[in-house]
Amino acid sequence: MTTLQRPSSSAAESLAPLRVPYVIAWSGEAIEHRLLFAKQHPFGDIRLTYPDPRPSDWVGGILRGRIRQNRRGQPLWRMLNVRRQWLAMLRGLCQVCGKTGRDPRTGRMWWVITETAFRAMSQDSGLTNAPPTCPACIPESLAYCPQLRKSSAVYTAASAEPVGVLADTFTPGAGGTAIHTGHNIYVGFDEFARHASCLALQMVVRLDGMCLEPIP
């Protein structure tokens, strides 16, 4: 994993190398999204697409943002790599090191939960777009991430089921142009009527069987 020095107000932190998390996007991975509305096979209706569509562009009927995987350039700390975020969610990979976030003893997955990336559904379940964080990486994450220092808690979860995406939304304009109407809008995989106008950027999962844990 790539390491670098990140500026910090703390002398101790400024001397420690900060790993670039597995899910972070790099400037050399960015691809400009050229989007339009057109009749798209095999769906048979007018929907958001690329000028050169590929079958792999759609996941569950929703167009997914394209991005490279070369990790070149500079890390974009506020942007996640679409593909790596999805892979981390589907395989339960740690968002920092890219290894498993599942506890080998219990089979439960570890998560750092924040107010901005979590929506409670019940006392022990909720929706999140943040991938797991393995126990070995949790202390480092809490030390370096300003958002986690503001508000976070460590949980384990019995299961994580993909339920939807965070997406940019669009509406058709003149000549099939795509007019941007929203950013980071939650769209469920079961909300089929909304799929045609979305560009998925992050997967959202439902955590069940959540238990509050001490910091590893």
Side-chain angles (χ1 to χ4, degrees), residues 33-153:
H33 290 143
R34 295 182 57 229
L35 300 170
L36 54 87
F37 278 88
K39 191 170 184 178
Q40 185 59 47
H41 178 79
F43 306 103
D45 59 353
I46 302 297
R47 61 178 52 220
L48 194 67
T49 183
Y50 294 107
D52 56 339
R54 311 163 189 162
S56 59
D57 288 330
W58 281 271
V59 179
I62 305 176
L63 188 68
R64 183 168 60 180
R66 290 179 178 176
I67 194 165
R68 300 183 182 94
Q69 301 298 311
N70 55 37
R71 302 191 192 181
R72 295 176 181 172
Q74 297 297 315
L76 304 176
W77 293 100
R78 295 182 178 275
M79 182 180 297
L80 301 185
N81 180 288
V82 178
R83 293 275 180 155
R84 291 197 292 272
Q85 191 266 355
W86 282 55
L87 191 63
M89 288 299 212
L90 289 173
R91 297 187 180 180
L93 304 180
C94 173
Q95 62 178 304
V96 179
C97 67
K99 299 177 181 179
T100 183
R102 190 178 298 276
D103 191 311
R105 297 175 297 106
T106 65
R108 297 173 64 85
M109 286 185 288
W110 289 80
W111 303 77
V112 178
I113 300 299
T114 67
E115 291 180 355
T116 56
F118 181 77
R119 187 173 78 194
M121 304 297 290
S122 69
Q123 187 174 357
D124 66 345
S125 69
L127 306 182
T128 185
N129 61 301
T133 305
C134 74
C137 292
I138 287 176
E140 178 183 356
S141 300
L142 296 177
Y144 279 107
C145 179
Q147 186 60 48
L148 296 186
R149 287 200 297 267
K150 290 179 183 178
S151 102
S152 64

